[in-house]
Amino acid sequence: QVQLVESGGGLVQAGGSLRLSCAASGSIFSINTMGWYRQAPGKQRDLVATITTSGSTYYAESVKGRFTISRDNAKNTVYLQMNSLKPEDTAVYYCNAYIKGAGTPHGMHYWGKGTLVTVSS
């Protein structure tokens, strides 16, 4: 069974920083793209950033220049460094990864349970 577990959320003042982590565990054969999504209260879940196995990144326009996604392939972990946080960044942040489990013919997307980030003004 594959699991994604996020950590690092919390309460921070506007202009502050937080670093989110997401570790994949279980019977994993390979991990492809990893990423972060967020869902603010009453809104849909939106893509924040993604990173491929080779390190190619994508960012939503709203976070470009403020957030940095990175990964440690040896630890099956993806990170999101969030700087210059704004109140509108307040949301539950979810980790996503495309993982092929050991002994399975195909990969699939897995989600973490989410971690709450609250930015106060």
Side-chain angles (χ1 to χ4, degrees), residues 7 10 22 24 27 32 34 44 52 63 76 85 91-92 99 103-104 113:
S7 61
C22 171
S27 300
N32 200 324
M34 304 183 83
Q44 67 181 22
T52 66
V63 307
N76 292 338
L85 282 161
V92 177
I99 298 173
T104 61
K113 292 184 178 181

Side-chain angles (χ1 to χ4, degrees), residues 36-54:
W36 291 93
Y37 290 70
R38 67 185 181 186
Q39 187 167 19
K43 296 191 176 181
Q44 67 181 22
R45 189 175 299 187
D46 291 325
L47 175 64
V48 175
T50 61
I51 184 167
T52 66
T53 305
S54 60

Side-chain angles (χ1 to χ4, degrees), residues 7-22:
S7 61
L11 174 64
V12 64
Q13 287 189 330
S17 298
L18 281 175
R19 189 191 193 210
L20 306 183
S21 299
C22 171

Side-chain angles (χ1 to χ4, degrees), residues 1-112:
Q1 189 75 352
V2 174
Q3 242 185 339
L4 296 178
V5 178
E6 302 103 334
S7 61
L11 174 64
V12 64
Q13 287 189 330
S17 298
L18 281 175
R19 189 191 193 210
L20 306 183
S21 299
C22 171
S25 62
S27 300
I28 296 170
F29 177 78
S30 64
I31 302 178
N32 200 324
T33 298
M34 304 183 83
W36 291 93
Y37 290 70
R38 67 185 181 186
Q39 187 167 19
K43 296 191 176 181
Q44 67 181 22
R45 189 175 299 187
D46 291 325
L47 175 64
V48 175
T50 61
I51 184 167
T52 66
T53 305
S54 60
S56 296
T57 58
Y58 168 85
Y59 295 95
E61 282 296 325
S62 59
V63 307
K64 275 184 182 178
R66 300 188 299 122
F67 291 9
T68 302
I69 190 170
S70 61
R71 65 190 285 173
D72 184 333
N73 292 328
K75 295 182 178 179
N76 292 338
T77 299
V78 63
Y79 306 96
L80 187 68
Q81 177 67 42
M82 305 185 293
N83 299 329
S84 303
L85 282 161
K86 305 175 182 179
E88 51 263 45
D89 294 318
T90 295
V92 177
Y93 284 71
Y94 296 91
C95 174
N96 175 275
Y98 190 81
I99 298 173
K100 184 177 184 301
T104 61
H106 304 293
M108 60 179 286
H109 284 280
Y110 289 87
W111 290 91

